[in-house]
Amino acid sequence: MKRPAWKKRDRPLLLSLPLFCKTVFAMRIDNDPKLDFDDVLIRPKRSEAPTRSSVDLHRRYRFLNSEQTWAGIPLVASNMDSIGTMQMARSLGPEMMTCLHKYHSADDLIAFFSDETARGHAFLTVGIKDQDLEKLRRVASRTKLSFLCVDAANGYTKFFVDRVKAMRETHPDVTIMAGNVATPEMVQELLISGAADIVKVGIGPGSVCTTRIMTGVGYPQLSAIIECADAAHGLRGHVCADGGCRTPGDIVKAFAANADFVMLGGLLAGHDECGGQWVDPENRQAGMRFYGMSSRTAVEKYAGGVRDYRACEGKEIVVDYKGPVRETLREITGGIRSACAYVGAASLKDLSKCTTFVLCQRTHNTVFGV
Ligand code: 5GP
């Protein structure tokens, strides 16, 4: 005789276990709305408006595990090979940070970090291979380091956390930034188990990134920042919002969402301080080749080609020549100052407290282009 459906619930607990596991680990849909920069604007507010020129863009941080302090304008040049150059670091410093790309030779890094001022505003970037650890050991044995960035496209693996932890053990006083991730539980894991100080947040938002197209994986960047910053700040850690800022307004939204640092790639591409991938080295007006660090171009250049089990997760484009980077920085910092004045924030520190995001369908008028 067929057993009635309700009777099946009587089965012994042990027999129900596979059903239970399937239910718990089954695909699910998160119905909470997740937002990107384009989904919001910041509401202007009546205030005893600070003048733009009086807005203080400096932040002062004490890092969770290194216990080091840092003060400056918390913008960071990305560790992409054309952006994270020593020339960029010299132009952005001492107020802003640069993540040097990981393809500088150990000798060049030793020479660079031997200059005490350079140490305060540049991260040494390493990956998580044995050869990265060896390079770190070599550079650190010859010069003092203040900032280290441990970089992997996917910061979700146990191996990644273990490597960050290993670097913390050998470098207890160095401020370690690690990533990338985009969800709070992994921010906590990297701060607690990995003993990192700053977690880099962003999976797939980058201007020359194709991860979302190739894998379908990602997390809307504004929500990623809000959720990850909340998790980090609860532990006294910090986050660096990495990727997706196309305009000064996006940078403002990232800070308003509580990012402690904002990292820039594409916005800094095409400047004199960038690495040497000009379309025509004799004529910069022809533009700069700019490619993702997981693009075919980068993989062929640095990893001897694309392995047959891998897909490229970056693309190559040409960006216009933009002259010296300080002009672009003036535009960016001008935009942040103005935003602070609009919402009545006397300093960048106050911006998120003064922010109300409003959901919108259209952020700006595109009748004459962007
Ligand atoms: P952007 O400021 O250009 O929007 O984003 C810069 C960030 O994009 C970088 O700091 C890095 O995290 C990420 N990125 C750079 N190259 C690639 C790539 O080839 N693939 C992916 N998935 N992300 C990349």
Side-chain angles (χ1 to χ4, degrees):
M1 202 176 69
K2 210 171 154 212
R3 216 170 130 88
W6 61 268
K7 274 228 166 181
K8 288 182 186 159
R9 291 196 203 109
D10 293 344
R11 65 173 102 187
L13 194 60
L14 208 58
L15 286 182
S16 302
L17 205 58
L19 190 68
F20 171 75
C21 290
K22 262 195 195 155
T23 314
V24 169
F25 296 114
M27 181 280 292
R28 60 183 285 268
I29 296 177
D30 183 346
N31 277 319
D32 284 347
K34 302 294 173 194
L35 304 171
D36 222 318
F37 296 127
D38 266 352
D39 297 318
V40 297
L41 285 168
I42 297 169
R43 189 178 185 278
K45 282 183 187 152
R46 184 186 175 284
S47 66
E48 297 290 313
T51 58
R52 286 176 208 192
S53 59
S54 69
V55 171
D56 182 7
L57 297 186
H58 290 77
R59 300 286 326 251
R60 172 177 287 277
Y61 300 132
R62 184 180 169 84
F63 297 111
L64 172 65
N65 289 299
S66 71
E67 297 188 359
Q68 194 174 211
T69 53
W70 174 87
I73 299 175
L75 292 169
V76 189
S78 165
N79 50 296
M80 299 171 78
D81 69 347
S82 51
I83 306 295
T85 63
M86 292 177 180
Q87 214 187 331
M88 187 68 81
R90 289 190 191 101
S91 289
L92 264 60
E95 288 197 304
M96 301 174 202
M97 302 289 283
T98 296
C99 244
L100 295 177
H101 67 74
K102 63 182 178 190
Y103 303 106
H104 288 108
S105 72
D107 287 340
D108 286 351
L109 289 165
I110 291 164
F112 180 85
F113 284 109
S114 298
D115 171 0
E116 202 173 320
T117 47
R119 252 180 249 152
H121 57 88
F123 287 83
L124 169 77
T125 302
V126 291
I128 51 171
K129 295 189 183 135
D130 290 347
Q131 70 212 49
D132 291 297
L133 291 189
E134 175 51 28
K135 185 171 171 186
L136 171 60
R137 196 197 54 73
R138 229 187 111 199
V139 176
S141 70
R142 299 274 306 278
T143 181
K144 197 172 149 33
L145 275 182
S146 297
F147 295 94
L148 175 67
C149 171
V150 191
D151 186 70
N154 175 2
Y156 279 79
T157 63
K158 179 171 183 311
F159 185 70
F160 180 72
V161 179
D162 290 346
R163 279 278 142 120
V164 175
K165 175 79 177 164
M167 293 188 214
R168 163 62 65 215
E169 275 160 12
T170 46
H171 300 88
D173 306 331
V174 169
T175 297
I176 299 181
M177 175 155 75
N180 281 24
V181 301
T183 47
E185 81 285 357
M186 208 56 205
V187 170
Q188 290 164 337
E189 175 73 357
L190 282 165
L191 292 173
I192 297 169
S193 306
D197 298 288
I198 309 165
V199 178
K200 205 143 72 80
V201 172
I203 297 283
S207 58
V208 281
C209 159
T210 58
T211 293
R212 293 177 182 180
I213 297 165
M214 295 306 293
T215 68
V217 174
Y219 207 92
Q221 185 67 351
L222 189 83
S223 286
I225 298 167
I226 293 170
E227 293 171 25
C228 291
D230 183 51
H233 295 168
L235 296 168
R236 290 191 302 108
H238 293 87
V239 292
C240 175
D242 176 19
C245 292
R246 302 148 303 169
T247 57
D250 288 345
I251 300 173
V252 170
K253 290 174 190 175
F255 281 126
N258 256 328
D260 302 296
F261 292 92
V262 176
M263 177 172 273
L264 305 174
L267 267 182
L268 300 185
H271 293 96
D272 290 331
E273 292 79 359
C274 291
Q277 296 286 324
W278 298 95
V279 173
D280 176 359
E282 303 301 314
N283 173 23
R284 292 193 169 182
Q285 301 299 337
M288 188 188 116
R289 290 174 61 200
F290 179 55
Y291 48 80
M293 298 316 294
S294 300
S295 65
R296 178 171 294 278
T297 314
V299 176
E300 279 174 356
K301 189 168 174 190
Y302 297 114
V306 185
R307 309 253 166 83
D308 53 10
Y309 63 88
R310 285 193 63 156
C312 296
E313 290 182 28
K315 64 183 175 187
E316 178 177 333
I317 51 146
V318 173
V319 295
D320 290 342
Y321 174 57
K322 297 185 199 138
V325 74
R326 66 167 179 276
E327 267 307 297
T328 300
L329 295 173
R330 194 187 50 72
E331 290 272 300
I332 292 172
T333 51
I336 306 173
R337 281 177 198 288
S338 185
C340 289
Y342 269 118
V343 298
S347 66
L348 179 58
K349 184 169 186 244
D350 293 336
L351 176 63
S352 66
K353 289 176 219 152
C354 297
T355 291
T356 302
F357 284 120
V358 287
L359 298 183
C360 60
Q361 304 290 330
R362 199 177 77 158
T363 54
H364 61 284
N365 190 337
T366 54
V367 67
F368 294 128
V370 186

